[in-house]
Amino acid sequence: MTAVTDQDHTEHPEHPEDPERPDRDAGGPPRTDTASPWDDGLIARRVNEGAGEEQRGAAAARTAVPQTVAPLAYDPWLRSRLEALRELVGLSRARLDNRTLAGAGRVLEESTARRRLSGQHTVVAIAGATGSGKSQLFNALAGVPVSETGVRRPTTAAPIACSWSDGAAGLIERLGIPPRLRRRPLQATADADERLRGLVLVDLPDHDSAAVQHREQVDRVLGLVDAVIWVVDPEKYADAMLHERYLRPMAAHAEVMFVVLNQIDRLPGEAAEQVLDDLRRLLDEDGIVLGEYGEPGTTVQALSALTGDGVGDLRESLARFVAERGAPARRISADVDVAAARLWPVYATGRRTGLSEEAREEFADRLADAVGATATGEAAERAWLRNANRACGTPWLRLWRWCQERSEPPTGRVALRGQPDEEATARQRVEQAVRTVADRACAGLPAPWALAVREAAVRGSQGLPEALDELAVRAGLPPGRPPRPGWWPLAVLAQVSMTALQFAGGLWLLAQIIGIMAPNLGVPVLLMVIGIVGGPLVEWSCRMAARGPARRYGQEAERRLREAAAGCGRARVLDPVAAELLRYREVREQYGRVVGVGAGRA
Amino acid sequence: MLQNSPKIGHSSHVVTLDVRPQLLDALSALRDRVAAARFPLPLAGAARARANRDELLAQLDDYLVPRLRDPEAPLLAVVGGSTGAGKSTLVNSLVGRRVSEAGVLRPTTRTPVLVCHPEDHHWFSGMRVLPDLTRVWVPHHRDPADDLLLPGEDPARVLRVETADTLPPGLALLDAPDIDSLVSDNRVLAAELIGAADIWVMVTTAARYADAVPWHMLRTAKEYDVTLVTVLDRVPHQVVSEVSRQYGALLTKAGLGHVPRFTVPELPESAWGGGLLPATAVASLRTWLVHQTLDPAARQYAMARTAYGVLASLDTRMPGLAGAAAAQYAAALRLTAAVDGAYDSEHARVRGRLQAGAVLAGDALRRWRAFPLDCTPGELLDTLVESLSTLLLCAVAAADERVDDAWRREPAADAPELAGRDTAPESAEHRIGLAVRRWRRELEEYAEDEVRGLDRSAAPDPETVAALVATTLLGGRRGRAAGEGLAERIGAHGALRLRDRGGRLLVEHVDRVMHAERERRLAPLDALEVHAEPQAELIAALSVLQKER
């Protein structure tokens, strides 16, 4: 029987870099045994309180060898995953609510806390239902009745710890187990069990009793220990509470779990084998990987704590397990797995995300429609063509058109031509364009990120219509007459000369009729015919020739407006959206690292 | 051994089961109301309300109605408890024959077994109690029923009926599956079976008596004030008195100190191997059960107590259901209000924008500026129509977005029926485009009518007239020049008439589009049929029942 064992104040690993331990040597009362320089006042005080008990307990007389306990070291792979998780939490703080990130934050905290503490020790909790014999097994392993057993249900009310070697006080402290509930195994057992050095066994209260605070204790401690031994008995091994509330959620922790079937002494003959098989089947259904044939996974064993049957086997397994010293890291790794799995819906996507080139094009098209680029281009083209026709048309045709125009009522053109319209941009088209592009960008994104993308788009779209209004005025074609091609004067000259020919021919004929000139029908008629036929011919060829420049002119007008609108939209909407998507991609990459995709196990 | 046996009220205050037909009518009316109650929206309490409704319905169908209808039917004692409590062993021992298989593998009892005297068989072979369990009849000499199950039959929904003449007539025992079974169907079935009992026999063990799950069941029994008896099974000899005392203390603390308690020791043959316990081990329980059956006063008391207990429990359970129904209706109202609010405000915005001439912007405005020199009336109409449909589509999309925003904060909106709406905006675009094109066609017809009426030789082109009217209607202040042009072409009167008709047509079409889209959005919610009536009906049915009681 033992007493409190806080004389192993060497538990604090060296933390030369740790600034938050300023009072290491402060205020502790003088100590009886050789004090290591690494105890702080708090621990020292507690030791003093327990001193009376210490003297009573004979087994506690073991002098603590001042030993430095190396802190836990995680392998590089786990370190990088934790690092990625930290980054991930940092990057997503602004996007996700605290509740979603709480699990990951807790894992980070616990991993840091565990890392500061001893890496030589493995904390193993014994958990199970009421009356399954947790305390019995605890006592059987420790070799002494350190934990109270009984028929009164529920028996154990608070967790009890038992440490096989020194240096674990920090770990036990972390579990919140007060000194009066810390035990040491019997000297003889402990010496015989040299191989169990480093084991810290914790006896938990039951998880299924009507006492709710027991359940809370169990849940709290289970979150902190390195490994768990689940004790089940033939009566309760199929309880829904055990499987649904504990084993299924902890399936990821299979490598740091033992499941032992206790009380096989109550089973006749081969029934024990049957029950054990059934238990294996249930565990398999829970999704727990069983460690058969030397593969990593949960060890399932049958034993009787009462008669001692099979306890040796468990001790053997425990010794191997503790000697590996891998449990804390594996536990943290499983925690990271669970946290990552829980975060899956907020990070993972089924499809490729991002803004496709078509979506960008479509956005530019919609904005161009909103400022009326196509219509502007067409109008400019037609106006140019109209001007060309008018300039190169035969004078008679122009005369006729002029008359007709005077007789027709004026419409649209009479509107206040000079001053630009306010709100010339179609607001609804801009809004719809932004909405569509945001939808495209959000497709396949998890909800919080989709919301962020949408917000970025909406924020960018504020003031966009006004900017487009302004831009439509600036980027429009310069007012005034459109430029004319070089051949235009020639065409006009040709048209004028055709008219002149008509006149010349006509005058010549007239002169012949009057008799001023010698009669010569052929030449003047020919001149007139050339003039009459050539006028429309020149007009027609001009119109053909004007088509190309007109189209170019119209396209130029359209292009200027379209490019200006697209540039404005890109700067205000597409870039923020792309930035948001980039941020998501970054986070996704971090998440990939947390899950361990693309990174080989180191 | 019988401990704390309550003073069973004999002649002094016998609770008789006095059933009037009115009570039965009220009860079946209430049953129909409960059956009609639905809780489709996933609110915080909805799952619980659904479970409560199912449980209540099962209890009404399985127990209360048949019991009140046939008071002389045999008493049904249901043996319930946790896995491995030894329920089957207990039933076998009480009957004195292996009727229900016992074993070491959990869960053992997958098919519930009902045992009764051969004379009582007709009470249970029909569908009087437990109507939704298929009966399997197994003759004496046949082996377990599993091989008799018809293929495709769900083994969980089967009741095996056995007869044994060792049981007194008027008593039936039912071996229920585990109340905390890993198979959740079994759990539900166990609760249903226990709800069908006249006498609840709760079995627990020395290792289990402090478990949370059975205590939950005990508390329910207390709440319904049913005839309850507890059995502490498999108690090792050494600790009999201590465990029994502990258990008694716990029961007393829970207010169940008066409940008869029986202790059955753990014997080598008790469980493993599925043997029968010696008759002496269960003698006291058997005596108690037989007494309840054969003594008319005790029988009346046991029966009436459970029946009235369940009837009285309706006083709290029905308001609970009604409250849940009210919560459903309130949530549905909130969802509807969110949709209505979003569509109303968007509708108002559309109207405002139409007045402000927002349609005559962008492409349409450019066309209008170029009209009639560089643009045909057809092109102008095309762009106007397109612009109008964009405006409407934009309003609908914005309304949907608002609804999504509002619904995101509503837990009720997570119902799968509501989530699965068609998210393709193309279809909305299609519908709106159709409506707007129809408007254009009708407007063109109006213009043609107007032009045909003109008695001038130089009648204007109807398409030009239609384009001008559309511009006037959609252009706001900017389109004023179009109005002037229209008046010049077809006269001031004609222009006014055409504008009025076209304007009315526009308002009509816009209203119809917005209304249709809103209805589409509300359709899945309407399909859930969450109304205000169930709440009032449940309460009304309860108050009728209370009057008749």
PDB file of all heavy atoms in Angstrom, chain A residues 130 208 210 235 237 239 266 372 382 386 409 421-422 424, chain B residues 106 205 208 210-212 272 362-363 369 373-374 379 478 488:
ATOM      1  N   THR A 130     -20.617   0.060 -14.805  1.00  0.00           N
ATOM      2  CA  THR A 130     -20.672  -0.263 -13.374  1.00  0.00           C
ATOM      3  C   THR A 130     -20.600  -1.769 -13.214  1.00  0.00           C
ATOM      4  O   THR A 130     -21.232  -2.517 -13.952  1.00  0.00           O
ATOM      5  CB  THR A 130     -21.998   0.194 -12.724  1.00  0.00           C
ATOM      6  OG1 THR A 130     -23.050  -0.291 -13.537  1.00  0.00           O
ATOM      7  CG2 THR A 130     -22.088   1.669 -12.610  1.00  0.00           C
ATOM      8  N   ASP A 208     -21.865   4.558 -17.007  1.00  0.00           N
ATOM      9  CA  ASP A 208     -23.271   4.308 -17.338  1.00  0.00           C
ATOM     10  C   ASP A 208     -24.183   4.349 -16.120  1.00  0.00           C
ATOM     11  O   ASP A 208     -25.323   3.930 -16.192  1.00  0.00           O
ATOM     12  CB  ASP A 208     -23.409   2.964 -18.042  1.00  0.00           C
ATOM     13  CG  ASP A 208     -23.023   1.806 -17.145  1.00  0.00           C
ATOM     14  OD1 ASP A 208     -22.334   2.060 -16.139  1.00  0.00           O
ATOM     15  OD2 ASP A 208     -23.403   0.672 -17.438  1.00  0.00           O
ATOM     16  N   ALA A 210     -26.409   5.946 -12.902  1.00  0.00           N
ATOM     17  CA  ALA A 210     -27.375   7.037 -12.855  1.00  0.00           C
ATOM     18  C   ALA A 210     -26.726   8.318 -12.351  1.00  0.00           C
ATOM     19  O   ALA A 210     -27.315   9.385 -12.427  1.00  0.00           O
ATOM     20  CB  ALA A 210     -28.542   6.644 -11.958  1.00  0.00           C
ATOM     21  N   GLU A 235     -22.107  -9.699 -19.078  1.00  0.00           N
ATOM     22  CA  GLU A 235     -23.479  -9.246 -18.982  1.00  0.00           C
ATOM     23  C   GLU A 235     -23.674  -7.962 -19.785  1.00  0.00           C
ATOM     24  O   GLU A 235     -24.732  -7.724 -20.348  1.00  0.00           O
ATOM     25  CB  GLU A 235     -23.767  -8.991 -17.502  1.00  0.00           C
ATOM     26  CG  GLU A 235     -25.213  -9.019 -17.150  1.00  0.00           C
ATOM     27  CD  GLU A 235     -25.380  -8.751 -15.674  1.00  0.00           C
ATOM     28  OE1 GLU A 235     -24.676  -9.375 -14.866  1.00  0.00           O
ATOM     29  OE2 GLU A 235     -26.194  -7.888 -15.334  1.00  0.00           O
ATOM     30  N   TYR A 237     -21.467  -6.536 -22.211  1.00  0.00           N
ATOM     31  CA  TYR A 237     -20.562  -6.209 -23.311  1.00  0.00           C
ATOM     32  C   TYR A 237     -21.288  -5.651 -24.527  1.00  0.00           C
ATOM     33  O   TYR A 237     -20.673  -5.055 -25.395  1.00  0.00           O
ATOM     34  CB  TYR A 237     -19.715  -7.429 -23.699  1.00  0.00           C
ATOM     35  CG  TYR A 237     -20.446  -8.499 -24.450  1.00  0.00           C
ATOM     36  CD1 TYR A 237     -20.513  -8.459 -25.832  1.00  0.00           C
ATOM     37  CD2 TYR A 237     -21.048  -9.558 -23.785  1.00  0.00           C
ATOM     38  CE1 TYR A 237     -21.178  -9.439 -26.522  1.00  0.00           C
ATOM     39  CE2 TYR A 237     -21.720 -10.527 -24.469  1.00  0.00           C
ATOM     40  CZ  TYR A 237     -21.787 -10.464 -25.837  1.00  0.00           C
ATOM     41  OH  TYR A 237     -22.449 -11.430 -26.534  1.00  0.00           O
ATOM     42  N   ASP A 239     -23.887  -3.452 -24.336  1.00  0.00           N
ATOM     43  CA  ASP A 239     -24.695  -2.285 -23.965  1.00  0.00           C
ATOM     44  C   ASP A 239     -24.621  -1.208 -25.041  1.00  0.00           C
ATOM     45  O   ASP A 239     -23.558  -0.910 -25.572  1.00  0.00           O
ATOM     46  CB  ASP A 239     -24.192  -1.695 -22.637  1.00  0.00           C
ATOM     47  CG  ASP A 239     -24.832  -2.385 -21.461  1.00  0.00           C
ATOM     48  OD1 ASP A 239     -25.370  -3.488 -21.664  1.00  0.00           O
ATOM     49  OD2 ASP A 239     -24.789  -1.826 -20.348  1.00  0.00           O
ATOM     50  N   ARG A 266     -17.170 -16.328 -14.646  1.00  0.00           N
ATOM     51  CA  ARG A 266     -18.615 -16.532 -14.521  1.00  0.00           C
ATOM     52  C   ARG A 266     -19.178 -17.305 -15.712  1.00  0.00           C
ATOM     53  O   ARG A 266     -20.347 -17.648 -15.727  1.00  0.00           O
ATOM     54  CB  ARG A 266     -19.328 -15.182 -14.429  1.00  0.00           C
ATOM     55  CG  ARG A 266     -19.056 -14.455 -13.133  1.00  0.00           C
ATOM     56  CD  ARG A 266     -19.648 -13.064 -13.149  1.00  0.00           C
ATOM     57  NE  ARG A 266     -21.094 -13.070 -13.107  1.00  0.00           N
ATOM     58  CZ  ARG A 266     -21.828 -11.977 -13.271  1.00  0.00           C
ATOM     59  NH1 ARG A 266     -21.241 -10.815 -13.499  1.00  0.00           N
ATOM     60  NH2 ARG A 266     -23.145 -12.033 -13.229  1.00  0.00           N
ATOM     61  N   GLY A 372     -24.447  48.466 -72.608  1.00  0.00           N
ATOM     62  CA  GLY A 372     -24.973  48.580 -73.960  1.00  0.00           C
ATOM     63  C   GLY A 372     -23.896  48.629 -75.028  1.00  0.00           C
ATOM     64  O   GLY A 372     -24.002  49.393 -75.986  1.00  0.00           O
ATOM     65  N   ARG A 382     -23.919  51.851 -88.041  1.00  0.00           N
ATOM     66  CA  ARG A 382     -24.984  52.302 -88.950  1.00  0.00           C
ATOM     67  C   ARG A 382     -24.893  53.808 -89.198  1.00  0.00           C
ATOM     68  O   ARG A 382     -25.137  54.271 -90.311  1.00  0.00           O
ATOM     69  CB  ARG A 382     -26.344  51.954 -88.358  1.00  0.00           C
ATOM     70  CG  ARG A 382     -26.595  50.471 -88.438  1.00  0.00           C
ATOM     71  CD  ARG A 382     -27.862  50.096 -87.762  1.00  0.00           C
ATOM     72  NE  ARG A 382     -27.931  48.652 -87.575  1.00  0.00           N
ATOM     73  CZ  ARG A 382     -28.929  48.070 -86.946  1.00  0.00           C
ATOM     74  NH1 ARG A 382     -29.896  48.803 -86.436  1.00  0.00           N
ATOM     75  NH2 ARG A 382     -28.942  46.774 -86.816  1.00  0.00           N
ATOM     76  N   ARG A 386     -24.523  55.503 -92.701  1.00  0.00           N
ATOM     77  CA  ARG A 386     -25.526  56.460 -93.131  1.00  0.00           C
ATOM     78  C   ARG A 386     -24.853  57.744 -93.625  1.00  0.00           C
ATOM     79  O   ARG A 386     -25.182  58.276 -94.671  1.00  0.00           O
ATOM     80  CB  ARG A 386     -26.445  56.754 -91.948  1.00  0.00           C
ATOM     81  CG  ARG A 386     -27.650  57.569 -92.244  1.00  0.00           C
ATOM     82  CD  ARG A 386     -28.687  57.323 -91.139  1.00  0.00           C
ATOM     83  NE  ARG A 386     -28.088  57.314 -89.803  1.00  0.00           N
ATOM     84  CZ  ARG A 386     -27.797  58.427 -89.130  1.00  0.00           C
ATOM     85  NH1 ARG A 386     -28.015  59.601 -89.653  1.00  0.00           N
ATOM     86  NH2 ARG A 386     -27.274  58.341 -87.921  1.00  0.00           N
ATOM     87  N   PRO A 409     -42.648  63.121 -88.674  1.00  0.00           N
ATOM     88  CA  PRO A 409     -42.504  63.687 -87.334  1.00  0.00           C
ATOM     89  C   PRO A 409     -41.197  63.239 -86.700  1.00  0.00           C
ATOM     90  O   PRO A 409     -40.811  62.074 -86.838  1.00  0.00           O
ATOM     91  CB  PRO A 409     -43.708  63.118 -86.586  1.00  0.00           C
ATOM     92  CG  PRO A 409     -44.063  61.883 -87.324  1.00  0.00           C
ATOM     93  CD  PRO A 409     -43.681  62.100 -88.752  1.00  0.00           C
ATOM     94  N   ASP A 421     -27.059  60.794 -70.245  1.00  0.00           N
ATOM     95  CA  ASP A 421     -28.121  60.306 -69.362  1.00  0.00           C
ATOM     96  C   ASP A 421     -27.553  59.945 -68.010  1.00  0.00           C
ATOM     97  O   ASP A 421     -26.438  59.437 -67.905  1.00  0.00           O
ATOM     98  CB  ASP A 421     -28.742  59.041 -69.954  1.00  0.00           C
ATOM     99  CG  ASP A 421     -29.281  59.300 -71.320  1.00  0.00           C
ATOM    100  OD1 ASP A 421     -30.278  60.011 -71.416  1.00  0.00           O
ATOM    101  OD2 ASP A 421     -28.673  58.783 -72.296  1.00  0.00           O
ATOM    102  N   GLU A 422     -28.366  60.154 -66.972  1.00  0.00           N
ATOM    103  CA  GLU A 422     -27.976  59.586 -65.688  1.00  0.00           C
ATOM    104  C   GLU A 422     -28.495  58.149 -65.656  1.00  0.00           C
ATOM    105  O   GLU A 422     -29.498  57.841 -66.321  1.00  0.00           O
ATOM    106  CB  GLU A 422     -28.504  60.420 -64.514  1.00  0.00           C
ATOM    107  CG  GLU A 422     -29.986  60.348 -64.258  1.00  0.00           C
ATOM    108  CD  GLU A 422     -30.754  61.376 -65.082  1.00  0.00           C
ATOM    109  OE1 GLU A 422     -30.250  61.849 -66.132  1.00  0.00           O
ATOM    110  OE2 GLU A 422     -31.857  61.686 -64.681  1.00  0.00           O
ATOM    111  N   ALA A 424     -27.273  55.410 -66.989  1.00  0.00           N
ATOM    112  CA  ALA A 424     -27.345  54.810 -68.311  1.00  0.00           C
ATOM    113  C   ALA A 424     -27.086  53.312 -68.250  1.00  0.00           C
ATOM    114  O   ALA A 424     -27.433  52.573 -69.158  1.00  0.00           O
ATOM    115  CB  ALA A 424     -26.324  55.472 -69.227  1.00  0.00           C
TER     116      ALA A 424
ATOM    117  N   ARG B 106     -25.184 -11.589 -26.523  1.00  0.00           N
ATOM    118  CA  ARG B 106     -26.156 -10.478 -26.435  1.00  0.00           C
ATOM    119  C   ARG B 106     -26.368  -9.866 -27.807  1.00  0.00           C
ATOM    120  O   ARG B 106     -25.418  -9.742 -28.560  1.00  0.00           O
ATOM    121  CB  ARG B 106     -25.625  -9.408 -25.485  1.00  0.00           C
ATOM    122  CG  ARG B 106     -25.021  -9.936 -24.243  1.00  0.00           C
ATOM    123  CD  ARG B 106     -26.011  -9.923 -23.091  1.00  0.00           C
ATOM    124  NE  ARG B 106     -25.637 -10.913 -22.098  1.00  0.00           N
ATOM    125  CZ  ARG B 106     -26.342 -12.015 -21.874  1.00  0.00           C
ATOM    126  NH1 ARG B 106     -27.433 -12.269 -22.563  1.00  0.00           N
ATOM    127  NH2 ARG B 106     -25.960 -12.877 -20.967  1.00  0.00           N
ATOM    128  N   THR B 205     -30.052  -6.447 -12.459  1.00  0.00           N
ATOM    129  CA  THR B 205     -29.164  -7.412 -11.812  1.00  0.00           C
ATOM    130  C   THR B 205     -28.300  -6.712 -10.780  1.00  0.00           C
ATOM    131  O   THR B 205     -28.297  -5.487 -10.673  1.00  0.00           O
ATOM    132  CB  THR B 205     -28.226  -8.070 -12.832  1.00  0.00           C
ATOM    133  OG1 THR B 205     -27.357  -7.048 -13.308  1.00  0.00           O
ATOM    134  CG2 THR B 205     -28.960  -8.689 -13.973  1.00  0.00           C
ATOM    135  N   ARG B 208     -26.109  -4.246 -12.242  1.00  0.00           N
ATOM    136  CA  ARG B 208     -26.709  -3.245 -13.087  1.00  0.00           C
ATOM    137  C   ARG B 208     -27.614  -2.279 -12.369  1.00  0.00           C
ATOM    138  O   ARG B 208     -28.103  -1.344 -12.987  1.00  0.00           O
ATOM    139  CB  ARG B 208     -27.586  -3.948 -14.121  1.00  0.00           C
ATOM    140  CG  ARG B 208     -26.842  -4.446 -15.280  1.00  0.00           C
ATOM    141  CD  ARG B 208     -27.799  -4.607 -16.397  1.00  0.00           C
ATOM    142  NE  ARG B 208     -27.112  -5.161 -17.527  1.00  0.00           N
ATOM    143  CZ  ARG B 208     -26.532  -4.416 -18.455  1.00  0.00           C
ATOM    144  NH1 ARG B 208     -26.582  -3.122 -18.373  1.00  0.00           N
ATOM    145  NH2 ARG B 208     -25.901  -4.978 -19.449  1.00  0.00           N
ATOM    146  N   ALA B 210     -27.554   0.149 -10.714  1.00  0.00           N
ATOM    147  CA  ALA B 210     -27.333   1.599 -10.712  1.00  0.00           C
ATOM    148  C   ALA B 210     -27.237   2.187 -12.115  1.00  0.00           C
ATOM    149  O   ALA B 210     -26.978   3.359 -12.279  1.00  0.00           O
ATOM    150  CB  ALA B 210     -26.059   1.921  -9.934  1.00  0.00           C
ATOM    151  N   ASP B 211     -27.449   1.354 -13.141  1.00  0.00           N
ATOM    152  CA  ASP B 211     -27.347   1.852 -14.523  1.00  0.00           C
ATOM    153  C   ASP B 211     -28.392   2.924 -14.788  1.00  0.00           C
ATOM    154  O   ASP B 211     -29.475   2.921 -14.221  1.00  0.00           O
ATOM    155  CB  ASP B 211     -27.573   0.714 -15.513  1.00  0.00           C
ATOM    156  CG  ASP B 211     -26.343  -0.153 -15.648  1.00  0.00           C
ATOM    157  OD1 ASP B 211     -25.465   0.002 -14.782  1.00  0.00           O
ATOM    158  OD2 ASP B 211     -26.277  -0.962 -16.579  1.00  0.00           O
ATOM    159  N   ALA B 212     -28.012   3.807 -15.710  1.00  0.00           N
ATOM    160  CA  ALA B 212     -28.914   4.937 -16.002  1.00  0.00           C
ATOM    161  C   ALA B 212     -30.143   4.499 -16.794  1.00  0.00           C
ATOM    162  O   ALA B 212     -31.239   4.978 -16.543  1.00  0.00           O
ATOM    163  CB  ALA B 212     -28.145   6.006 -16.767  1.00  0.00           C
ATOM    164  N   TRP B 272     -25.949 -19.007 -17.948  1.00  0.00           N
ATOM    165  CA  TRP B 272     -25.099 -19.593 -18.971  1.00  0.00           C
ATOM    166  C   TRP B 272     -25.542 -21.008 -19.221  1.00  0.00           C
ATOM    167  O   TRP B 272     -25.539 -21.852 -18.356  1.00  0.00           O
ATOM    168  CB  TRP B 272     -23.641 -19.530 -18.517  1.00  0.00           C
ATOM    169  CG  TRP B 272     -23.356 -18.305 -17.712  1.00  0.00           C
ATOM    170  CD1 TRP B 272     -22.824 -18.260 -16.483  1.00  0.00           C
ATOM    171  CD2 TRP B 272     -23.608 -16.952 -18.097  1.00  0.00           C
ATOM    172  NE1 TRP B 272     -22.726 -16.976 -16.061  1.00  0.00           N
ATOM    173  CE2 TRP B 272     -23.192 -16.151 -17.028  1.00  0.00           C
ATOM    174  CE3 TRP B 272     -24.150 -16.348 -19.220  1.00  0.00           C
ATOM    175  CZ2 TRP B 272     -23.297 -14.771 -17.059  1.00  0.00           C
ATOM    176  CZ3 TRP B 272     -24.256 -14.987 -19.240  1.00  0.00           C
ATOM    177  CH2 TRP B 272     -23.830 -14.202 -18.184  1.00  0.00           C
ATOM    178  N   GLY B 362     -28.852  50.773 -70.475  1.00  0.00           N
ATOM    179  CA  GLY B 362     -27.915  49.875 -71.124  1.00  0.00           C
ATOM    180  C   GLY B 362     -28.228  49.742 -72.602  1.00  0.00           C
ATOM    181  O   GLY B 362     -28.420  50.736 -73.312  1.00  0.00           O
ATOM    182  N   ASP B 363     -28.332  48.509 -73.060  1.00  0.00           N
ATOM    183  CA  ASP B 363     -28.596  48.229 -74.468  1.00  0.00           C
ATOM    184  C   ASP B 363     -29.846  48.940 -74.968  1.00  0.00           C
ATOM    185  O   ASP B 363     -29.847  49.547 -76.036  1.00  0.00           O
ATOM    186  CB  ASP B 363     -28.789  46.714 -74.640  1.00  0.00           C
ATOM    187  CG  ASP B 363     -27.543  46.081 -75.195  1.00  0.00           C
ATOM    188  OD1 ASP B 363     -26.548  46.819 -75.317  1.00  0.00           O
ATOM    189  OD2 ASP B 363     -27.564  44.877 -75.491  1.00  0.00           O
ATOM    190  N   ARG B 369     -31.790  55.594 -78.284  1.00  0.00           N
ATOM    191  CA  ARG B 369     -31.104  56.786 -78.767  1.00  0.00           C
ATOM    192  C   ARG B 369     -30.884  56.714 -80.278  1.00  0.00           C
ATOM    193  O   ARG B 369     -30.867  57.723 -80.963  1.00  0.00           O
ATOM    194  CB  ARG B 369     -29.752  56.937 -78.065  1.00  0.00           C
ATOM    195  CG  ARG B 369     -29.853  57.287 -76.603  1.00  0.00           C
ATOM    196  CD  ARG B 369     -30.415  58.669 -76.415  1.00  0.00           C
ATOM    197  NE  ARG B 369     -30.600  58.965 -75.010  1.00  0.00           N
ATOM    198  CZ  ARG B 369     -31.756  59.362 -74.482  1.00  0.00           C
ATOM    199  NH1 ARG B 369     -32.820  59.490 -75.251  1.00  0.00           N
ATOM    200  NH2 ARG B 369     -31.843  59.629 -73.212  1.00  0.00           N
ATOM    201  N   LEU B 373     -33.425  56.178 -86.694  1.00  0.00           N
ATOM    202  CA  LEU B 373     -32.498  56.261 -87.830  1.00  0.00           C
ATOM    203  C   LEU B 373     -31.664  54.992 -87.962  1.00  0.00           C
ATOM    204  O   LEU B 373     -31.597  54.389 -89.024  1.00  0.00           O
ATOM    205  CB  LEU B 373     -31.578  57.473 -87.658  1.00  0.00           C
ATOM    206  CG  LEU B 373     -32.236  58.806 -88.000  1.00  0.00           C
ATOM    207  CD1 LEU B 373     -31.265  59.936 -87.752  1.00  0.00           C
ATOM    208  CD2 LEU B 373     -32.666  58.795 -89.469  1.00  0.00           C
ATOM    209  N   ASP B 374     -31.025  54.599 -86.846  1.00  0.00           N
ATOM    210  CA  ASP B 374     -30.076  53.493 -86.928  1.00  0.00           C
ATOM    211  C   ASP B 374     -30.594  52.239 -86.243  1.00  0.00           C
ATOM    212  O   ASP B 374     -29.824  51.360 -85.865  1.00  0.00           O
ATOM    213  CB  ASP B 374     -28.755  53.909 -86.276  1.00  0.00           C
ATOM    214  CG  ASP B 374     -28.156  55.092 -86.989  1.00  0.00           C
ATOM    215  OD1 ASP B 374     -28.339  55.163 -88.214  1.00  0.00           O
ATOM    216  OD2 ASP B 374     -27.552  55.938 -86.318  1.00  0.00           O
ATOM    217  N   GLU B 379     -35.898  45.714 -83.298  1.00  0.00           N
ATOM    218  CA  GLU B 379     -34.716  45.611 -82.427  1.00  0.00           C
ATOM    219  C   GLU B 379     -34.961  46.306 -81.096  1.00  0.00           C
ATOM    220  O   GLU B 379     -34.595  45.795 -80.037  1.00  0.00           O
ATOM    221  CB  GLU B 379     -33.514  46.251 -83.123  1.00  0.00           C
ATOM    222  CG  GLU B 379     -32.877  45.358 -84.162  1.00  0.00           C
ATOM    223  CD  GLU B 379     -31.819  46.082 -84.969  1.00  0.00           C
ATOM    224  OE1 GLU B 379     -31.894  47.327 -85.074  1.00  0.00           O
ATOM    225  OE2 GLU B 379     -30.926  45.416 -85.474  1.00  0.00           O
ATOM    226  N   ARG B 478     -37.428  59.156 -69.182  1.00  0.00           N
ATOM    227  CA  ARG B 478     -36.587  59.124 -70.372  1.00  0.00           C
ATOM    228  C   ARG B 478     -37.384  58.831 -71.616  1.00  0.00           C
ATOM    229  O   ARG B 478     -37.027  59.207 -72.713  1.00  0.00           O
ATOM    230  CB  ARG B 478     -35.545  58.026 -70.202  1.00  0.00           C
ATOM    231  CG  ARG B 478     -34.178  58.565 -69.997  1.00  0.00           C
ATOM    232  CD  ARG B 478     -33.267  57.396 -69.870  1.00  0.00           C
ATOM    233  NE  ARG B 478     -32.732  57.347 -68.525  1.00  0.00           N
ATOM    234  CZ  ARG B 478     -32.257  56.247 -67.965  1.00  0.00           C
ATOM    235  NH1 ARG B 478     -32.311  55.116 -68.602  1.00  0.00           N
ATOM    236  NH2 ARG B 478     -31.746  56.294 -66.773  1.00  0.00           N
ATOM    237  N   GLU B 488     -48.177  61.926 -81.922  1.00  0.00           N
ATOM    238  CA  GLU B 488     -48.147  62.482 -83.279  1.00  0.00           C
ATOM    239  C   GLU B 488     -48.599  61.468 -84.302  1.00  0.00           C
ATOM    240  O   GLU B 488     -49.210  61.800 -85.302  1.00  0.00           O
ATOM    241  CB  GLU B 488     -46.731  62.943 -83.608  1.00  0.00           C
ATOM    242  CG  GLU B 488     -46.445  64.344 -83.094  1.00  0.00           C
ATOM    243  CD  GLU B 488     -44.977  64.642 -83.213  1.00  0.00           C
ATOM    244  OE1 GLU B 488     -44.368  64.184 -84.213  1.00  0.00           O
ATOM    245  OE2 GLU B 488     -44.428  65.303 -82.311  1.00  0.00           O
TER     246      GLU B 488
END
